[in-house]
Amino acid sequence: MALLALVLTLGLANPAWAHVNPDRRNAVTAHGTIMGFAFAVLFPLGAILIRTASFRGLVWIHAGIQAFAYLLALAGLGLGVYIAIYPESQLTASNGHPIIGIIVVGALVFQPIGGLIHHYMYKKYHRRTIWAITHVWWGRIILTLGIINGGLGLMLSGNTVKGEIAYGVIAGVMWLIWMAVAVWGHLRSRGTSGETGENALGHSDAGSSPSPDRYKEGYRAA
């Protein structure tokens, strides 16, 4: 998170920000740091964890990380609205970042709802349902859009090229790890019956008794 703050701070050293109110600059730095940490780090981390770990209560750890990330996103959205209401300097420009941000944060409100319904349906039918597929793919699409929107935000704020590259590297690496784990987990967990399938990077537990809560919930289906 400190690295993301440094990326934003270096970018705001641009001459274009010389006449912008310091409080406004701080708000932009906070907005970018919070949103970058939520979308480029926390959300992918929670998704990676559900596919690579295997322990009792994992589903709720996953839910907790994603819920915390969403609270950060809401805080970041609030700062974004504050910045947009009082535009100055390059903040008066528009590249779709504000609208996309509102859509992304709004769309993510369905994730916890879909996740809870999926969990309930699995507990009821002991098999993966359309809710698992919807929950996983909705998250992948919206979060990917959010990561891309972070880059648009850096462009809108007049960040330096180095700052944009730094964000691109951090976000890109996390996204690639996330997608690699998703593909690997899907291939490794074919034929499993747990809610999330087998541990994507671990050893198969085929032939052993399933845990009481099956640890993970049908995300392999996606």
Side-chain angles (χ1 to χ4, degrees):
M1 191 167 184
L3 180 58
L4 289 170
L6 178 60
V7 169
L8 269 294
T9 302
L10 290 175
L12 297 184
N14 278 353
W17 286 87
H19 303 294
V20 177
N21 185 295
D23 290 339
R24 202 72 35 75
R25 286 203 302 269
N26 292 336
V28 172
T29 301
H31 168 76
T33 302
I34 290 172
M35 287 302 219
F37 185 59
F39 283 92
V41 179
L42 277 185
F43 278 127
L45 181 63
I48 291 169
L49 183 65
I50 196 69
R51 301 307 299 270
T52 58
S54 183
F55 55 84
R56 188 180 301 277
L58 172 61
V59 170
W60 302 112
I61 297 296
H62 162 77
I65 292 175
Q66 305 305 71
F68 177 62
Y70 188 63
L71 289 177
L72 288 180
L74 287 175
L77 177 63
L79 286 170
V81 171
Y82 165 75
I83 295 165
I85 290 177
Y86 302 100
E88 290 184 73
S89 185
Q90 292 191 18
L91 295 182
T92 58
S94 177
N95 65 352
H97 173 75
I99 301 301
I100 295 174
I102 293 172
I103 292 173
V104 166
V105 176
L108 283 176
V109 76
F110 297 106
Q111 275 302 88
I113 298 173
L116 288 173
I117 294 176
H118 154 58
H119 180 71
Y120 170 78
M121 296 296 286
Y122 179 82
K123 292 300 182 183
K124 182 177 181 179
Y125 297 108
H126 299 287
R127 60 180 174 81
R128 288 174 289 272
T129 67
I130 188 64
W131 288 101
I133 299 174
T134 302
H135 179 66
V136 170
W137 280 101
W138 184 258
R140 288 173 182 170
I141 293 170
I142 297 302
L143 293 183
T144 298
L145 183 59
I147 291 172
I148 294 172
N149 197 43
L152 294 178
L154 291 178
M155 294 171 60
L156 180 60
S157 68
N159 206 289
T160 62
V161 174
K162 290 183 179 179
E164 293 172 359
I165 292 175
Y167 172 80
V169 170
I170 296 171
V173 168
M174 287 298 295
W175 187 87
L176 287 174
I177 293 174
W178 175 24
M179 291 299 105
V181 166
V183 172
W184 184 248
H186 177 76
L187 296 176
R188 284 294 302 272
S189 60
R190 288 178 180 273
T192 60
S193 59
E195 278 187 86
T196 57
E198 291 296 326
N199 180 349
L201 301 181
H203 299 290
S204 173
D205 292 328
S208 61
S209 299
S211 61
D213 63 353
R214 296 175 181 263
Y215 293 151
K216 304 162 83 173
E217 305 182 15
Y219 298 101
R220 192 273 305 167

